[in-house]
Amino acid sequence: MAKMERLSRSKWTATAASILIQCTGGSPYAFSIYSPAIKSSQGYDQSTLDTVSVFKDIGGNVGVLSGILYSAVALNRRRIGGPWVVLLVGAIQCFVGYFFLWAAVTGLVERPPVAVVCLFMLLAAHAQTFFNTANVVTGVHNFSDYGGTIVGIMKGFLGLSSAILVQVYDTFCNGNPSTFILLLALLPTSVTILFMPLVKIHEAGRSAIDKKYLNIFSAYALLTAAYLIVLIIFRTIFTFPSWASVLTVTPLLLCLLVSPLGIAIKAQNLQPKKLPGTPNDPLLENPEPVLASSNLSASENPTDHEDMNLLKAMICVDFWLLFIAMICGMGSGLATINNMGQIGESLGYTTVEINSLVSLWSIWNFLGRFGAGYVSDYLLHKKGWARPLLMAVTLATMAAGHIVISSGFPGNLYVGSILVGICYGSQWSLMPTITSEIFGIRHMGTIFNTIAIASPVGSYIFSVRVIGFIYDREASGEDDDSCSGTHCFMLSFFIMASVAFFGFLVALALFFRTRRFYHTIVLKRLRHSSPKQ
């Protein structure tokens, strides 16, 4: 009993619980699966559906409220609560939002106005920000020395979650999108409520095994992604009977449940026991965050960017360069996944192929999030290259991906979604890191969430004002208001390719503006904080 209690109070168990919640927390990325059911049941045209998708993007990307709530209940010792409160609020939003959408699609309630559907879509997607904030920030508190690694793990599993959910849909929902919406109301809510008591902030003390077992969690994430890729490819090439689908997906679900807990148990057994008198509360150990630049003299600092608050950051050119680059990158990437179903239908892809594309997008998104941090760290440490350079490279590659999709050649969506998916995921890894390095870490959360608003802003512009408008114009002569052929989306993706290339130029300007700063400040900071050999 004492051992079980010790395990339940372990930062490793908290990490495993967070991973399991993240594995079901990315339902907004599966919008392409159930959006046709919303469109047909409510009688929407493409522009109206894209408006609903924009509210999904706003809910899924504007996480300021979740951050405020986390600070109030988890970091203030005078308040009662913890990260579980944030997770519970997210679970409630998830259930209410998706349950109402399911009721509307199935006709359980009278057809609601578009504004009401947008509201509940926003509510359902907004749950993701509460899951993500609670799990990521708790992970950083528990592994303060390896913040980049733990953020990569959490963001990576969130990126994989839609692929996992789509495999569950293909196996257990019999191709019924309305059943999938009900699944999204029940599964993430149940998993979150089950594991949220384990997600806690524990002591911030260092341990020699931290890096080793975080790397094991990372390897587990890569193995999960590899299994999903093989599974998706086989299910695209071959038609599996229902019993075979169950046999291939069930081991994945069991491994997802057992493996993180197994890693946590093994890590906890090797965790050094706490010395008597060691504080239990990390807030007592670290009452005030220490800026990374605090050990540098003022004369060594060629920029006044360190420790900016939001208002100071917003009058800085670098802030707006980063914001515009994210409109171009995140906005066009979100518009692509939101319209993947309609693009596939217009090009003659089967339902199975479209579902596979959505699942594979989740994999590419994961690889971008997971890989960009590692590659940018390598280039910075080994080559001295500033991170905005890699951002510029990924935006140029994204432009090429949009051109591939616009071309309409056989298999173009598979090739284009790889390029756009990886580059889109990269932005979510690079942007927060660049934000913390240029503007300082003390107000990083506020500044990061403000820049992230670029994602739904860009998605609205490209989804509604570009893709939706051009699609409806091309489909206006058809009897069923649907469009078939490469002309339906060709012009839209040429426009988004041009925008992504403009984002490349903006990121390149940011690179030249910050190159000296990275060489004189960031690299010195890294060398200063490196352990002496």
Side-chain angles (χ1 to χ4, degrees), residues 257-338:
L257 180 62
V258 174
S259 297
L261 296 174
I263 297 171
I265 291 171
K266 188 171 182 180
Q268 179 59 24
N269 289 337
L270 295 176
Q271 186 81 20
K273 287 186 171 57
K274 201 167 42 176
L275 295 175
T278 302
N280 291 320
D281 193 340
L283 298 176
L284 293 177
E285 297 179 61
N286 301 287
E288 186 70 22
V290 179
L291 289 176
S293 61
S294 60
N295 291 316
L296 298 172
S297 65
S299 62
E300 291 178 294
N301 195 340
T303 178
D304 60 354
H305 291 187
E306 288 294 342
D307 193 27
M308 283 188 177
N309 59 29
L310 178 60
L311 294 178
K312 289 182 179 179
M314 290 182 70
I315 62 174
C316 177
V317 173
D318 295 342
F319 176 93
W320 293 107
L321 289 176
L322 197 53
F323 187 86
I324 293 170
M326 291 304 95
I327 287 180
C328 299
M330 292 180 176
S332 64
L334 263 182
T336 301
I337 184 57
N338 286 342

Side-chain angles (χ1 to χ4, degrees), residues 250-499:
T250 301
L252 169 66
L253 299 178
L254 290 175
C255 286
L256 284 174
L257 180 62
V258 174
S259 297
L261 296 174
I263 297 171
I265 291 171
K266 188 171 182 180
Q268 179 59 24
N269 289 337
L270 295 176
Q271 186 81 20
K273 287 186 171 57
K274 201 167 42 176
L275 295 175
T278 302
N280 291 320
D281 193 340
L283 298 176
L284 293 177
E285 297 179 61
N286 301 287
E288 186 70 22
V290 179
L291 289 176
S293 61
S294 60
N295 291 316
L296 298 172
S297 65
S299 62
E300 291 178 294
N301 195 340
T303 178
D304 60 354
H305 291 187
E306 288 294 342
D307 193 27
M308 283 188 177
N309 59 29
L310 178 60
L311 294 178
K312 289 182 179 179
M314 290 182 70
I315 62 174
C316 177
V317 173
D318 295 342
F319 176 93
W320 293 107
L321 289 176
L322 197 53
F323 187 86
I324 293 170
M326 291 304 95
I327 287 180
C328 299
M330 292 180 176
S332 64
L334 263 182
T336 301
I337 184 57
N338 286 342
N339 291 276
M340 191 71 74
Q342 285 70 37
I343 298 169
E345 288 178 1
S346 69
L347 295 177
Y349 284 73
T350 66
T351 301
V352 173
E353 289 174 327
I354 293 172
N355 293 348
S356 297
L357 284 166
V358 175
S359 296
L360 287 170
W361 173 279
S362 185
I363 303 296
W364 313 138
N365 185 16
F366 159 77
L367 290 177
R369 292 174 183 230
F370 207 78
Y374 178 84
V375 173
S376 64
D377 271 344
Y378 174 82
L379 294 176
L380 181 61
H381 285 259
K382 301 296 184 181
K383 304 292 185 180
W385 293 358
R387 293 186 205 272
L389 179 62
L390 184 59
M391 177 178 284
V393 171
T394 57
L395 287 169
T397 307
M398 180 179 282
H402 288 316
I403 291 175
V404 168
I405 294 175
S406 70
S407 66
F409 65 81
N412 68 319
L413 275 186
Y414 286 101
V415 178
S417 65
I418 292 174
L419 296 175
V420 177
I422 291 176
C423 295
Y424 169 76
S426 298
Q427 309 313 310
W428 282 109
S429 176
L430 293 171
M431 186 270 281
T433 311
I434 293 172
T435 299
S436 67
E437 289 170 341
I438 293 179
F439 303 111
I441 61 174
R442 182 167 301 184
H443 301 288
M444 178 256 181
T446 308
I447 299 172
F448 157 71
N449 277 307
T450 304
I451 295 174
I453 295 174
S455 182
V457 169
S459 176
Y460 173 78
I461 295 171
F462 302 126
S463 290
V464 177
R465 298 302 178 185
V466 178
I467 294 177
F469 174 78
I470 294 175
Y471 180 93
D472 288 339
R473 187 187 67 183
E474 295 292 336
S476 59
E478 303 294 335
D479 294 333
D480 57 354
D481 290 330
S482 63
C483 181
S484 299
T486 58
H487 65 284
C488 303
F489 292 95
M490 178 180 288
L491 178 58
S492 300
F493 277 87
F494 268 126
I495 292 173
M496 291 203 297
S498 302
V499 169

